[in-house]
């Protein structure tokens, strides 16, 4: 009944975890869910207020424009200028997305022909690899190893490109600050990557939804690298920065040619996102800085609480400088470890192998639960 392209897919990681949680709850377990990165704190009030007004405007009741309201894209351009010092033309270098997942999933359809190779980090957010397969491409794993600070080894990619003229990946996916490892990439790394991509005609899709969840200075945007716009786009999202995962709004910015390609795919699939959500998105992007400052201090405190409990039970990990994830080395089978934790503590975590074979041995914990629940989780871990 099903097409080959979905028959070969593993179950979507978080759909599988949902089943495990439901069964534990049915058994009466008080589950503390640290598996999904879905902020528990509500969307700030001024954004909700704008949405309530925007819903009443009849212009928002009709089909939206495919590329997104120009006012939303102007707000994105302003935001990039203020935060990263990056100049973007809102009419050609920014496209509104129905969440960054939507854009990431559709982008390979515009650039990948059947049999094309695409470099995908491992471990990684699972959508990159799946999207490549949907486009008929072949995802090739770029290991993110602790010894390389969870960055891909660009030197070895360059060496292979030099040695093998038949090996020409079409695209590279990247994501820093990184889910699941919490690693951050510096501007030097992005510079090296952009140089390589320009030299070999490889397109770069950088996924940056965690740029504002940082604890030690804002991590850079790849678009800060001079020349990045020749080969790269950056996906971003309002989901994590403004607690808006349910609203489904994000954006992709950078190379106008790449933006145009993604737009051509999207205009044949969706009809843009609800105008009222875009109006609320403008209010979000223009939020006073205290809003995100407050969020960072909540996550910083929660990470501190969970980090010390994980160290106390002997897991090996670093305190992340960004994201709301802890990436802890268990030394064994990550599915078994996650199962053991659920059975003995009621805590649900994500087994690292779900993000790729190089995630095996790790578990990922998200601090997107109320601080009291994080404290309770820390106590349960210490009693393990
Ligand atoms: C690395 C990464 N990219 C993209 C997304 C999707 O975010 P959005 O809500 O914008 O679709 C997530 C969500 O968890 C993520 O972790």
């Amino acid at each position: 009944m099903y097409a080959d392209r979905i028959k070969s897919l593993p179950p979507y990681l978080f759909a599988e975890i949902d089943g495990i949680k439901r069964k534990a709850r049915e058994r009466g377990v008080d589950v503390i869910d640290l598996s999904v990165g879905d902020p528990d704190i509500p969307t700030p009030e001024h954004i909700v207020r704008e949405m309530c007004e925007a819903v009443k405007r009849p212009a928002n009741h009709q089909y939206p424009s495919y590329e997104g309201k120009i006012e939303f894209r102007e707000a994105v351009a302003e935001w990039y200028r203020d935060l990263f010092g990056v100049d973007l033309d809102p009419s050609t270098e920014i496209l509104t997305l129905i969440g960054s997942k939507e854009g990431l999933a559709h982008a390979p359809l515009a650039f990948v022909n059947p049999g094309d190779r695409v470099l995908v980090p491992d471990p990684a957010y699972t959508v990159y690899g799946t999207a490549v397969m949907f486009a008929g491409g072949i995802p090739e794993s770029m290991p993110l190893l602790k010894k390389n600070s969870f960055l891909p080894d660009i030197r070895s990619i360059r060496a292979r490109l030099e040695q093998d003229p038949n090996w020409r990946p079409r695209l590279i996916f990247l994501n820093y600050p990184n889910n699941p490892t919490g690693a951050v990439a510096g501007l030097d790394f992005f510079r090296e990557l952009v140089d390589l991509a320009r030299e070999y005609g490889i397109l770069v899709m950088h996924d940056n939804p965690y740029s504002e969840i940082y604890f030690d200075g804002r991590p850079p945007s790849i678009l800060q690298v001079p020349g990045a716009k020749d080969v790269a786009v950056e996906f971003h999202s309002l989901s994590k920065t403004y607690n808006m995962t349910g609203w489904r709004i994000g954006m992709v910015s950078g190379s106008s040619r790449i933006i145009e390609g993604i737009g051509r795919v999207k205009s044949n699939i969706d009809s843009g996102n609800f105008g009222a959500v875009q109006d609320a998105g403008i209010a979000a992007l223009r939020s006073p800085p205290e809003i995100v400052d407050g969020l960072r201090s909540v996550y910083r405190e929660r990470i501190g609480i969970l980090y010390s409990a994980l160290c106390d039970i002997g897991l090996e990990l670093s305190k992340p400088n960004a994201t709301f994830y802890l990436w802890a080395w268990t030394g064994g089978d990550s599915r078994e470890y996650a199962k053991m934790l659920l059975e003995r503590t009621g805590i649900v975590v994500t087994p690292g192998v779900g993000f790729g074979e190089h995630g095996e041995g790790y578990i990922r914990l998200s601090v997107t639960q109320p601080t009291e629940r994080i404290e309770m989780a820390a106590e349960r871990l210490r009693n393990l």
Side-chain angles (χ1 to χ4, degrees):
M1 172 179 184
Y2 298 114
D4 293 345
R5 89 173 55 81
I6 77 156
K7 270 197 255 168
S8 56
L9 282 184
Y12 188 59
L13 177 62
F14 294 103
E16 199 184 358
I17 291 173
D18 275 351
I20 296 171
K21 279 187 284 200
R22 195 180 50 248
K23 280 192 198 133
R25 286 190 179 119
E26 279 164 13
R27 291 200 307 273
V29 177
D30 171 26
V31 169
I32 302 181
D33 182 7
L34 306 183
S35 66
V36 188
D38 189 359
D40 57 303
I41 303 169
T43 306
E45 238 177 84
H46 70 284
I47 303 172
V48 176
R49 230 180 296 125
E50 173 56 25
M51 178 72 179
C52 293
E53 287 309 311
V55 164
K56 295 179 204 159
R57 293 197 272 274
N60 284 332
H61 301 172
Q62 294 184 285
Y63 280 123
S65 65
Y66 293 113
E67 63 278 8
K69 290 190 182 198
I70 188 66
E71 295 82 0
F72 177 77
R73 289 178 288 141
E74 281 165 358
V76 170
E78 231 172 78
W79 190 82
Y80 257 96
R81 196 164 41 244
D82 292 352
L83 269 46
F84 300 104
V86 168
D87 279 321
L88 292 164
D89 178 345
S91 57
T92 57
E93 294 179 332
I94 299 172
L95 188 66
T96 311
L97 301 174
I98 310 173
S100 56
K101 181 179 183 180
E102 177 266 312
L104 290 160
H106 284 143
L109 294 174
F111 305 102
V112 175
N113 283 316
D116 281 352
R117 299 185 179 269
V118 175
L119 293 177
V120 173
D122 176 355
Y125 183 55
T126 54
V127 172
Y128 318 136
T130 311
V132 171
M133 288 196 288
F134 280 172
I138 303 169
E140 279 198 20
S141 151
M142 266 189 318
L144 306 187
L145 307 177
K146 183 165 181 247
K147 67 172 180 154
N148 297 331
S149 313
F150 299 112
L151 296 171
D153 181 357
I154 297 190
R155 247 185 251 166
S156 73
I157 298 172
R158 177 179 282 285
R160 189 161 170 206
L161 285 164
E162 281 166 6
Q163 281 157 18
D164 183 356
N166 294 320
W167 186 72
R168 288 291 177 268
R170 181 80 184 107
L171 265 182
I172 299 184
F173 275 102
L174 274 184
N175 156 231
Y176 292 97
N178 184 255
N179 170 16
T181 67
V184 169
L187 212 46
D188 284 349
F189 168 83
F190 285 136
R191 210 171 280 131
E192 212 181 325
L193 184 83
V194 167
D195 284 351
L196 182 85
R198 283 163 57 110
E199 216 172 305
Y200 287 93
I202 303 171
L203 305 178
V204 179
M205 307 229 155
H206 181 237
D207 183 20
N208 194 10
Y210 297 97
S211 75
E212 300 314 293
I213 315 296
Y214 61 81
F215 313 110
D216 187 22
R218 173 175 291 113
S221 155
I222 195 169
L223 301 178
Q224 285 171 244
V225 175
K229 277 200 234 166
D230 293 343
V231 286
V233 286
E234 185 162 89
F235 291 82
H236 218 299
S237 171
L238 275 57
S239 287
K240 321 285 174 171
T241 311
Y242 302 108
N243 301 331
M244 292 176 76
T245 48
W247 300 59
R248 312 311 304 134
I249 184 157
M251 59 276 197
V252 55
S253 315
S255 155
S256 56
R257 284 185 312 148
I258 303 183
I259 297 286
E260 192 191 332
I262 300 173
R264 275 161 71 177
V265 170
K266 275 175 61 59
S267 61
N268 282 285
I269 294 180
D270 63 65
S271 298
N273 46 1
F274 185 22
V277 171
Q278 296 185 62
D279 290 346
I282 296 171
L285 292 166
R286 295 190 175 146
S287 296
E290 300 82 73
I291 297 271
V292 192
D293 285 347
L295 202 59
R296 285 191 274 267
S297 54
V298 169
Y299 289 137
R300 183 198 296 272
E301 183 192 4
R302 293 177 183 177
I303 281 177
I305 295 166
L306 204 55
Y307 171 77
S308 61
L310 292 166
C311 292
D312 288 351
I313 63 166
L315 297 189
E316 207 183 287
L317 74 161
S318 314
K319 214 185 223 183
N321 284 332
T323 77
F324 38 57
Y325 301 117
L326 291 152
W327 185 239
W329 174 248
T330 69
D333 179 315
S334 60
R335 277 184 202 270
E336 285 304 313
Y337 196 92
K339 211 187 294 169
M340 177 281 291
L341 269 188
L342 176 60
E343 274 160 19
R344 292 179 50 191
T345 66
I347 299 170
V348 184
V349 302
T350 312
V353 70
F355 298 101
E357 80 181 88
H358 289 95
E360 182 54 309
Y362 289 91
I363 52 169
R364 191 197 73 175
L365 302 94
S366 167
V367 296
T368 47
Q369 289 288 336
T371 307
E372 316 82 79
R373 297 290 279 171
I374 300 289
E375 278 165 350
M376 194 185 282
E379 196 181 311
R380 289 190 198 172
L381 285 170
R382 289 201 175 91
N383 293 332
L384 184 68

